[in-house]
Amino acid sequence: MSQPTAIVFGVGTTRGVGGAVCKRFAQEGYHVIFTGRTLEKIQEVVADIRSSEVGSAEALQTDVTVEEQVIAAFDLAMSPGTGRAPADVVIFNAGNNALIDFTQLTASQFENFWRVGCYSGFLVGREAARRLVPLGRGTLIFTGASGSLRGKPGFAHFAAAKAGLRMISQSMAREYGPKGIHVAHVVIDGGILGDRLRNAAPAMVEALGSDGLLGYGAIAENYWMLHRQPRSAWTQELDIRPYKENW
């Protein structure tokens, strides 16, 4: 049997959603291809997966806002290697965030957040549809956030991008679900106990504690669950949060 393949867009470190998802699928015997902007970071994820001696992985430095680079990543993922099947799992996890006063928000900043959070999701979603429909099967998961559902003060740029990504996922689910493609959107409602938050807001991490933040390994478990769902009961949108989160 050919080894199954997954491709993950938007991976930072092993202590984050992208890295944890890669490890989770590798643990199930998948060959995981993943992309990120910083080569050193994604190479660390490769080394971590390979050291576990379960599954396999390769990293590809990619800017998800550049159409040609996204297409090239899919070309790699869909080209059967020695004993490897074309990718039937696609995960979009790219995104950025920052608190910016609306009156100080520049046009270029707004566009940048939209390009990373929404436009790149369109590129990945379109290529996924082009490649998975001929297979007649596959899973496409988009990573969302609290901003996918509601805009908070200082986060208009982020919410606009995430809400747009949510609509892409809904439209794709309605169009491609009947063709055998499971399209899901995961609303991650709360802070994640990973490297990004630890570095940016250590005081908040200490105040909330592990029970007040989402574990990246637990998030990855939900992604695997979505992929394994029987098609008679697919989830289109899943919202996950710490049990202490006020929502």
Side-chain angles (χ1 to χ4, degrees):
M1 293 180 62
S2 297
Q3 183 182 19
T5 303
I7 181 166
V8 183
F9 291 88
V11 175
T13 69
T14 56
R15 294 170 296 278
V17 173
V21 168
C22 290
K23 290 182 68 175
R24 184 65 184 88
F25 278 79
Q27 287 169 3
E28 297 293 337
Y30 272 73
H31 177 71
V32 184
I33 299 170
F34 55 91
T35 78
R37 291 177 296 179
T38 307
L39 187 59
E40 290 182 0
K41 288 184 178 180
I42 56 178
Q43 285 177 335
E44 289 177 3
V45 178
V46 169
D48 189 42
I49 291 174
R50 289 178 177 173
S51 67
S52 66
E53 298 183 354
V54 179
S56 57
E58 61 182 299
L60 182 65
Q61 189 173 22
T62 301
D63 184 340
V64 289
T65 67
V66 178
E67 183 176 19
E68 293 77 12
Q69 293 188 28
V70 172
I71 291 173
F74 271 96
D75 286 343
L76 173 65
M78 304 306 294
S79 300
T82 303
R84 179 172 65 79
D88 64 352
V89 177
V90 180
I91 296 171
F92 176 80
N93 185 61
N96 52 3
N97 198 0
L99 174 65
I100 306 175
D101 183 278
F102 191 74
T103 61
Q104 304 303 311
L105 183 64
T106 67
S108 61
Q109 285 176 321
F110 184 90
E111 182 177 359
N112 178 65
F113 275 91
W114 170 78
R115 289 183 66 83
V116 174
C118 185
Y119 171 71
S120 59
F122 149 71
L123 292 177
V124 170
R126 186 195 66 189
E127 290 306 307
R130 288 175 172 176
R131 314 305 179 101
L132 295 178
V133 167
L135 296 179
R137 58 182 169 78
T139 301
L140 170 60
I141 302 176
F142 293 97
T143 298
S146 307
S148 305
L149 307 178
R150 58 188 183 274
K152 292 185 177 180
F155 292 98
H157 48 289
F158 178 71
K162 282 298 185 181
L165 182 69
R166 184 183 184 220
M167 291 301 100
I168 289 173
S169 77
Q170 283 191 17
S171 295
M172 289 192 67
R174 290 185 170 97
E175 184 171 358
Y176 296 106
K179 297 179 180 180
I181 313 304
H182 183 190
V183 182
H185 178 254
V186 181
V187 178
I188 299 179
D189 187 18
I192 300 169
L193 187 59
D195 285 346
R196 179 180 294 183
L197 194 60
R198 286 183 184 276
N199 294 331
M204 185 179 78
V205 170
E206 183 176 356
L208 291 174
S210 59
D211 280 347
L213 295 165
L214 287 128
Y216 47 81
I219 295 172
E221 193 65 39
N222 278 277
Y223 281 57
W224 174 251
M225 177 274 294
L226 286 170
H227 172 56
R228 295 297 297 166
Q229 281 185 327
R231 62 181 182 179
S232 63
W234 274 349
T235 295
Q236 200 288 306
E237 185 163 82
L238 176 70
D239 58 330
I240 53 178
R241 61 184 61 85
Y243 79 96
K244 288 185 175 181
E245 183 75 15
N246 180 14
W247 60 287

